[in-house]
């Protein structure tokens, strides 16, 4: 298993951050791992919703089928997906309002036999991608 996380304070209210975070048409403008939604992103956002995403991790393309596991508008979006080689990916976005700003935390988890072979490189690559994603997200909201 490989676990990663990144956190950043963004100078925008939680409602504005949430709106940008769940704007599927603009998702690729800040998410460093996202390369496309083959079917246009989730049509609805509720627990149990499934959607497909094309991603790039460690320079390699990956197709992930996600399921929304937890959802609390303007607070939490947790998704779990199945990727190539039996890898299971979990991503959790947590928003913590702080006056006119919001602390955004992204936690990621990778499990599966293939992960143990590349856990160190995966952690480094995913952590860098999360930090850059948060930087870009903050830039869009500035």
């Amino acid at each position: 298993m490989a676990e990663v996380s990144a956190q950043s304070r963004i100078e925008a209210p939680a409602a504005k951050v949430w709106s940008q975070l769940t704007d599927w048409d603009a998702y690729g403008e800040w998410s460093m791992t996202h390369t496309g939604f083959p079917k246009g992103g989730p049509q609805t956002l509720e627990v149990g919703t499934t959607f497909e995403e094309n991603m790039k991790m460690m320079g390699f393309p990956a197709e992930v089928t996600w399921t929304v596991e937890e959802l609390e508008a303007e607070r939490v979006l947790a998704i779990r997906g199945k990727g190539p080689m039996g890898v299971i990916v979990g991503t959790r976005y947590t928003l913590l309002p702080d006056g006119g700003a919001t602390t955004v935390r992204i936690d990621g988890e990778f499990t599966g036999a293939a992960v143990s072979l590349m856990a160190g490189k995966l952690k480094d690559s995913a952590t860098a991608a999360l930090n850059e994603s948060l930087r870009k997200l903050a830039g869009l909201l500035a």
Side-chain angles (χ1 to χ4, degrees):
M1 178 191 307
E3 294 179 331
V4 296
S5 65
Q7 180 173 301
S8 180
R9 179 182 164 90
I10 296 178
E11 297 299 323
K16 188 174 179 182
V17 175
W18 183 263
S19 180
Q20 184 69 52
L21 181 76
T22 58
D23 179 352
W24 308 118
D25 291 334
Y27 196 73
E29 293 178 29
W30 64 270
S31 175
M32 295 304 298
T33 58
H34 176 79
T35 60
F37 290 115
K39 298 179 181 172
Q43 302 304 307
T44 60
L45 193 57
E46 57 191 34
V47 172
T49 295
T50 61
F51 62 98
E52 296 173 6
E53 180 183 12
N54 293 331
M55 306 174 70
K56 190 169 270 194
M57 290 297 297
M58 297 179 18
F60 297 102
E63 295 178 7
V64 178
T65 301
W66 296 103
T67 300
V68 176
E69 290 194 327
E70 185 179 351
L71 178 68
E72 184 181 341
E74 299 180 15
R75 298 284 185 170
V76 175
L77 172 60
I79 55 179
R80 183 160 305 277
K82 183 172 182 180
M85 299 187 302
V87 173
I88 303 298
V89 184
T91 303
R92 180 183 181 88
Y93 300 94
T94 306
L95 280 59
L96 300 169
D98 183 14
T102 306
T103 297
V104 180
R105 181 179 173 95
I106 307 173
D107 294 291
E109 176 184 287
F110 304 85
T111 57
V115 173
S116 62
L117 301 173
M118 57 185 171
K121 285 187 176 190
L122 180 59
K123 281 184 177 184
D124 292 344
S125 175
T127 299
L130 292 181
N131 283 311
E132 181 63 11
S133 293
L134 286 171
R135 187 191 69 73
K136 289 185 127 195
L137 181 61
L140 287 173
L141 293 164

